[in-house]
C-alpha cells in the first residue's frame, strides 16, 4: 500500500488503475522511450526519424542483472528487437539525409549505426 501510495504521489493519482485485487499502471501514465522507438520505427519523415534515432541510447536495461529465467527469456529478445529497430531507423535516416544533400549528417547517422552494429556490411 505504501509503495502504491508513493507511485500515486509521483505519477498522479490517475496513474494507477485498481480493479479487485489487480493493480496496474494506466495506459499512457509513463513516457517510455522503448515504446516511442517502436512507434517511430514505422516513420519515414526526416524529423520523425531524427527524433526516433535519438531515443536509442544503448541496450535495454543495460547493467541490470537478475537471476530470473523468465525475465531473462523476455529481456534478451526484447533487447535485440529494439537494437534492430534502432539500426533500421538509423539506416533510413542516413538514406533520407543523403538524398536531401545532408551528407555530413548522413555520415554521423551511419557512424552511430556502426557503433551499434560494427559488423554491418551495408
Amino acid at each position: 500500500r505504501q509503495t502504491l501510495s508513493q507511485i500515486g504521489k509521483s505519477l498522479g493519482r490517475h496513474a494507477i488503475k485498481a480493479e479487485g485485487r489487480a493493480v496496474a499502471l494506466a495506459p499512457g501514465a509513463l513516457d517510455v522511450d522503448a515504446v516511442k522507438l517502436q512507434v517511430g520505427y514505422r516513420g519515414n519523415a526526416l524529423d520523425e526519424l531524427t527524433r526516433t534515432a535519438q531515443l536509442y541510447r544503448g541496450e535495454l536495461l543495460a547493467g541490470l542483472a537478475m537471476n530470473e529465467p523468465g525475465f531473462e527469456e523476455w529481456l534478451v529478445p526484447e533487447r535485440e528487437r529494439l537494437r534492430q529497430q534502432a539500426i533500421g531507423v538509423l539506416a533510413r535516416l542516413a538514406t533520407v539525409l543523403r538524398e536531401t544533400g545532408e551528407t555530413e549528417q548522413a555520415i554521423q547517422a551511419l557512424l552511430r549505426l556502426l557503433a551499434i552494429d560494427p559488423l554491418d556490411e551495408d
Side-chain angles (χ1 to χ4, degrees):
R1 288 183 189 174
Q2 290 176 357
T3 301
L4 290 174
S5 175
Q6 289 297 324
I7 291 171
K9 287 178 184 175
S10 296
L11 300 177
R13 63 186 186 98
H14 297 293
I16 298 174
K17 298 292 180 189
E19 190 172 304
R21 295 181 54 110
V23 177
L25 285 173
L30 296 176
D31 192 26
V32 181
D33 56 357
V35 173
K36 285 183 174 182
L37 176 63
Q38 186 173 349
V39 171
Y41 173 72
R42 299 181 192 112
N44 287 310
L46 178 59
D47 59 337
E48 184 177 16
L49 289 170
T50 301
R51 279 192 311 274
T52 303
Q54 293 170 350
L55 294 171
Y56 189 81
R57 294 182 299 272
E59 192 175 77
L60 176 67
L61 301 175
L64 180 67
M66 292 185 71
N67 192 15
E68 293 292 330
F71 181 75
E72 289 295 320
E73 288 173 14
W74 169 82
L75 182 59
V76 170
E78 191 66 13
R79 280 179 174 164
E80 183 59 22
R81 183 183 68 78
L82 292 170
R83 181 179 165 277
Q84 289 301 320
Q85 286 182 342
I87 289 168
V89 166
L90 287 165
R92 284 200 315 279
L93 176 60
T95 299
V96 171
L97 288 167
R98 184 181 49 83
E99 290 171 351
T100 59
E102 302 289 338
T103 307
E104 187 58 39
Q105 289 177 323
I107 291 170
Q108 293 304 313
L110 290 171
L111 288 173
R112 282 199 58 213
L113 187 152
L114 286 173
I116 297 169
D117 186 6
L119 301 177
D120 188 323
E121 293 182 8
D122 289 338

